[in-house]
Amino acid sequence: MAAGKKELLMLENFIGGKFLPCSSYIDSYDPSTGEVYCKVPNSGKEEIEAAVGAAREAFPAWSSWSPQERSVVLNRLADLVEQSLEELAQAESKDQGKTLSLARTMDIPRAAQNFRFFASSILHHTTECTQMDHLSCMHYTVRTPVGIAGLISPWNLPLYLLTWKIAPAIAAGNTVIAKPSELTSVTAWMLCKLVDKAGVPPGVINIVFGTGPRVGEALVSHPEVPVISFTGSQPTAERITQLSAPHCKKLSLELGGKNPAIIFEDANLEECIPATVRSSFANQGEICLCTSRIFVQKSIYSEFLKRFVEATRKWKVGMPSDPSASMGALISKTHLEKVRSYVMKARAEGAQILCGEGVDQLSLPLRNQAGYFMLPTVITDVKDESCCMKEEIFGPVTCVVPFDTEEDVIKRANSVKYGLAATVWSSNVSRIHRVAKKLQAGLVWTNCWLIRELNLPFGGMKSSGIGREGAKDSYDFFTEIKTITVKH
């Protein structure tokens, strides 16, 4: 290695409570500089076999622990994540490209909250019981853990979404094999160091790093992994479904979105505009819940557009560590090129680019000029049939279009294959309830965005996925229900 070069961070798989090296590694890049800074294990079938062995061995004891005993361990994990908040936030920001302020205030606190939430909710589930006196029978239900859970998490909210899967799975008494994204593996590796300290027995949590085609496929197609929870893209979900089909696995698939914001003429623009800038561009637009289609009622369209573009131009793109930056770098060079290509397609179709990509100048320090940065971009004069209005871009690009009537906008909002989330802005309560009910979306926020109640179901309709996550839904998913009848 050349003199003065910083040594690369080398990650290892975590199997059966031990860190194990791998025979080959993948480069992982710092999105803010475009430089390789980390080596991620390029695991495959062999590592999955080892992880299955460890998870299988740990399952009988862990599943026999009481919910109260498991709850204590989850609360300890939450404490350890909180104690490591700054270290984890720094690592998440460097690895993913997001701003340090977002990692500090959202990603890492939510990771701790996930463990704490399921540590509590596991203590409050009840089962059913009915009697048939005329037949001298009593029926009751029990729930038991499924076994080994395969958990595949994405690169946009790495620790936040990994813990959202690990916590309910182990709380219910399962053992797990988790595969984080190979693009953002560092905080998952750091979490492994806390697992033993929290008192999690070896083999309960196994984390295997690598790519989808190698290690993901080995995990999903393994006959001893009966349950798969996946968050990511629709094409990957199709592949998971194909590989799982011969084994009739339980699947939870949380996929993409093409989320509309509907802004009626009686909306409070003072609140709506900053919230819609945030819902469009938070985390570089790399959140499945981000707004990418903004429908504005015609009577306020011009005023909204003017104010929205002004507010977007103030949304600063900068070094992830810069406290004044609203947005950091996108995840990879490939992804940046893909997002930019949508803006070029829109321009070729005759759409107007009002600010951002190709319009405004992006100013970056010298060492960040090879980083994957892009300005927040607003597109208008775009047809509903355009790929920019139909396909998930997953970047800092949003389209703003006018609408006439309530009926018209509901039809247009529902005209895509996705159905994850929507936002509605209006001061008319009757309209809010009416529109929310008719939108094909698993989550509808009205006069706000991304306020989450973890007890309630999270997930999408149509091509946005299968199943729901939340207190009861996650518990149901990670357990099997059994009806027992006793004649007395």
Side-chain angles (χ1 to χ4, degrees), residues 376-425:
T377 301
V378 179
I379 302 174
T380 188
D381 292 337
V382 60
K383 294 183 171 66
D384 287 6
E385 299 72 44
S386 165
C387 62
C388 292
M389 288 284 281
K390 290 279 187 195
E391 296 170 22
E392 185 178 43
I393 300 172
F394 215 66
V397 177
T398 197
C399 299
V400 187
V401 292
F403 75 88
D404 287 314
T405 64
E406 184 181 307
E407 192 182 4
D408 156 56
V409 77
I410 290 166
K411 192 177 170 186
R412 290 169 69 192
N414 289 340
S415 71
V416 295
K417 69 177 182 178
Y418 295 107
L420 183 55
T423 54
V424 180
W425 291 87

Side-chain angles (χ1 to χ4, degrees), residues 256-471:
K258 191 68 187 168
N259 310 309
I262 299 173
I263 297 157
F264 287 97
E265 58 193 358
D266 59 351
N268 176 347
L269 294 187
E270 289 298 312
E271 288 179 9
C272 168
I273 286 168
T276 307
V277 169
R278 193 175 137 253
S279 74
S280 300
F281 306 123
N283 203 51
Q284 303 76 243
E286 296 169 330
I287 302 178
C288 55
L289 303 164
C290 274
T291 302
S292 54
R293 296 180 295 148
I294 303 171
F295 295 93
V296 185
Q297 202 150 25
K298 260 192 183 151
S299 57
I300 59 161
Y301 179 71
S302 298
E303 185 198 352
F304 175 89
L305 202 54
K306 180 173 170 285
R307 288 170 64 178
F308 184 74
V309 169
E310 279 169 11
T312 299
R313 280 205 162 110
K314 289 177 187 159
W315 193 261
K316 183 181 168 182
V317 176
M319 271 285 291
S321 57
D322 177 352
S324 68
S326 306
M327 225 170 82
L330 275 73
I331 185 65
S332 68
K333 191 176 183 187
T334 311
H335 187 60
L336 174 64
E337 285 165 1
K338 180 194 135 183
V339 175
R340 281 181 172 154
S341 76
Y342 277 99
V343 182
M344 288 191 280
K345 283 176 195 168
R347 189 177 273 119
E349 290 170 352
Q352 298 251 33
I353 318 300
L354 296 187
C355 64
E357 178 67 21
V359 175
D360 301 308
Q361 195 62 40
L362 177 55
S363 164
L364 292 167
L366 194 63
R367 76 173 295 255
N368 299 104
Q369 289 187 357
Y372 317 131
F373 294 90
M374 177 178 169
L375 288 165
T377 301
V378 179
I379 302 174
T380 188
D381 292 337
V382 60
K383 294 183 171 66
D384 287 6
E385 299 72 44
S386 165
C387 62
C388 292
M389 288 284 281
K390 290 279 187 195
E391 296 170 22
E392 185 178 43
I393 300 172
F394 215 66
V397 177
T398 197
C399 299
V400 187
V401 292
F403 75 88
D404 287 314
T405 64
E406 184 181 307
E407 192 182 4
D408 156 56
V409 77
I410 290 166
K411 192 177 170 186
R412 290 169 69 192
N414 289 340
S415 71
V416 295
K417 69 177 182 178
Y418 295 107
L420 183 55
T423 54
V424 180
W425 291 87
S426 172
S427 51
N428 181 326
V429 177
S430 301
R431 176 193 276 152
I432 280 170
H433 286 295
R434 196 168 60 237
V435 172
K437 198 172 177 184
K438 289 178 182 173
L439 288 170
Q440 293 167 356
L443 303 121
V444 181
W445 282 286
T446 65
N447 299 328
C448 63
W449 178 68
L450 204 57
I451 295 173
R452 291 274 288 111
E453 157 58 282
L454 302 188
N455 280 294
L456 297 185
F458 176 91
M461 301 178 179
K462 303 194 288 190
S463 290
S464 287
I466 295 170
R468 295 291 186 272
E469 298 171 312

Side-chain angles (χ1 to χ4, degrees), residues 44-45 48 51-52 148-152 176-179 208 212 214-228 249:
K45 277 187 178 173
I48 290 297
V52 168
I148 303 170
L151 314 175
I152 302 174
V176 305
I177 302 167
K179 187 207 98 63
V208 183
R214 264 176 64 84
V215 78
E217 296 213 355
L219 176 60
V220 165
S221 56
H222 199 288
E224 288 184 71
V225 181
V227 57
I228 303 289
K249 297 189 181 209

